[in-house]
Amino acid sequence: MRANITYILLLINTFSFSQNKEILYDFNDIPQTLSLNPGALVEFDKHFGIPLLSKFHFNFGSSGISAYDIFRDDGVDINTKIGKAITALSNQDYFTINQQLEIINGGWRKDENTYFSYGIYEEADVILYFPKDLATLVWEGNANYIGTPFSLGDINLKAELLSVFHFGINKKLSKKLTVGARAKIYSSIANVNSTNNSGTFTTRPSTTGDNFYEHTFQSLDGVLQTSGVASLLGNDNSNIKEDIKMLRRRVLLGGNLGLGVDLGFTYQPEDQHTITGSVVDLGAIFHSKDVESYRLRGSYTTEGLDLVFPQLLSTDGTIPYWEDLEDEFNESIKIDTLTANYTTWRSTKLNASYRYNFGKGNGQDCDCYAGSKPYLNAVGLQLFSVFRPKRPQVAATAFYYRRLFDFMNLKATYTVDDFSARNIGLGASFHIGAFNMYFTGNNLFELQNISKSQSVSLQFGMNLIFDSND
């Protein structure tokens, strides 16, 4: 059992992801800024993302522990480290995953004030809260927790794999205000969801005197909802080619569908001051295809096996103790398989920023509101939040932006979030003719030993950007 838990912790720390995109936000010389704020300033006439290469985004994070905490070579037994980690973590700690891959992305300017954009991307998003009570019960047992209830409510997870089709409009209403909106169609490839569980397991001194202790499952009510999973894992499923065809259909609007919207704005009271805000993924997915869910309900109390000795038996033979106990449990605790439709809400994100531009380049004396191009430098603050099942996940970022050359822009960031208070990031964007390439990275100080990091964010992409002013 302990070996299995060690392996699970290793997997969690290897594949746990977070939601940090703050470096890319407000990077107005690349089209991917529109994915975070459809009302961003657009300083080009059209763009085409190189298919499958215009944006790859990869984040991971764990709020309370790193792989180094468990696996460092310091002479301490690994079981001791795992026990300490379970004690230190709370049911508010979590492990998250977010990954995005742009398949198609493009846009064009209709007129001086209007810009249209379109695209398709794939996204995987996972959050798993640490099941504190369950982990304690499995690791330590209940001997030291007589009278202490273990809550089923600690089991809380949400995972989805989907494709997104979107079309957006960016409109400059005045010299000071730009707004934008983007409509989205979601096509769910697979979904697993288990939230709002309740019920407890408690061991206490026996109230009947038939045994020393009694074990009570009280008001259990738990649900695991899945869609797009049963057909892939079923016993009749053995054809990989058919699975690939099925997944391809789900990517191309053949899965469970949903609708969403992104909204954003940019406000420039003066040419050196910029305020932005956006709401991303305000929407839901309606699951009706390939749905298979499981519901656990009921209450049950047992004092263990009540042994009857042979001299007290009135008939020959043995008593089926375990079978009787299992039958009693199954009669009291029901596990039902459901195929009812259900709805899941996307993890809505909020972004906001303030930016101060300064340091005009040689010959740049215009007093205009055309963005930050006349200025070589900018500093500012960004706020990010994503709504999660238990509470919002929040990050705050201070940044310095520098237009180093006409073809090169840099952005350095310092972020405070649930994972770290010393997260240093760097972003860069390069322009060679119409060709653009960018990359961003977070938590750079931890890259020397990635196992010590509780979060790492990497992103890169390539586009063709055309601007008549150039």
Side-chain angles (χ1 to χ4, degrees), residues 238-268:
S238 59
N239 192 327
I240 297 179
K241 292 183 179 180
E242 289 299 320
D243 289 344
I244 294 175
K245 290 181 181 179
M246 181 189 303
L247 294 174
R248 188 183 300 124
R249 288 194 297 270
R250 292 178 183 176
V251 169
L252 300 175
L253 299 179
N256 291 295
L257 299 181
L259 297 174
V261 64
D262 301 345
L263 303 170
F265 74 92
T266 298
Y267 178 65
Q268 291 183 287

Side-chain angles (χ1 to χ4, degrees), residues 379-408:
V379 294
L381 178 67
Q382 300 162 196
L383 300 176
F384 168 81
S385 178
V386 55
F387 289 94
R388 294 302 196 180
K390 287 192 175 183
R391 61 179 177 85
Q393 179 183 334
V394 179
T397 298
F399 69 87
Y400 170 68
Y401 178 92
R402 171 71 179 181
R403 182 158 60 90
L404 198 60
F405 305 105
D406 287 342
F407 64 89
M408 181 178 180

Side-chain angles (χ1 to χ4, degrees), residues 286-303:
F286 311 100
H287 302 270
S288 59
K289 304 175 184 177
D290 196 16
V291 173
E292 187 167 296
S293 302
Y294 310 93
R295 183 165 191 178
L296 173 72
R297 288 186 297 175
S299 300
Y300 178 64
T301 298
T302 180
E303 296 187 12

Side-chain angles (χ1 to χ4, degrees), residues 184-328:
K184 289 183 172 180
I185 299 177
Y186 304 117
S187 181
S188 175
I189 302 170
N191 177 268
V192 178
N193 185 59
S194 182
T195 59
N196 300 319
N197 299 309
S198 61
T200 60
F201 168 75
T202 309
T203 298
R204 59 172 62 92
S206 172
T207 57
T208 66
D210 293 337
N211 209 330
F212 291 106
Y213 300 103
E214 63 183 24
H215 312 280
T216 301
F217 298 88
Q218 183 66 42
S219 302
L220 298 185
D221 190 355
V223 177
L224 176 66
Q225 298 172 315
T226 75
S227 72
V229 177
S231 60
L232 297 175
L233 301 180
N235 294 329
D236 298 333
N237 179 20
S238 59
N239 192 327
I240 297 179
K241 292 183 179 180
E242 289 299 320
D243 289 344
I244 294 175
K245 290 181 181 179
M246 181 189 303
L247 294 174
R248 188 183 300 124
R249 288 194 297 270
R250 292 178 183 176
V251 169
L252 300 175
L253 299 179
N256 291 295
L257 299 181
L259 297 174
V261 64
D262 301 345
L263 303 170
F265 74 92
T266 298
Y267 178 65
Q268 291 183 287
E270 298 177 3
D271 64 334
Q272 289 184 264
H273 301 273
T274 304
I275 300 170
T276 72
S278 66
V279 179
V280 178
D281 280 326
L282 182 61
I285 299 175
F286 311 100
H287 302 270
S288 59
K289 304 175 184 177
D290 196 16
V291 173
E292 187 167 296
S293 302
Y294 310 93
R295 183 165 191 178
L296 173 72
R297 288 186 297 175
S299 300
Y300 178 64
T301 298
T302 180
E303 296 187 12
L305 300 178
D306 185 13
L307 300 178
V308 178
F309 294 97
Q311 60 267 31
L312 301 179
L313 294 174
S314 59
T315 59
D316 294 334
T318 60
I319 297 177
Y321 296 110
W322 289 110
E323 289 82 355
D324 291 346
L325 183 64
E326 182 180 4
D327 290 342
E328 290 179 7

Side-chain angles (χ1 to χ4, degrees), residues 51-63:
L52 300 178
L53 294 176
S54 60
K55 177 183 175 182
F56 178 76
H57 172 73
F58 183 77
N59 278 335
F60 73 87
S62 61
S63 65

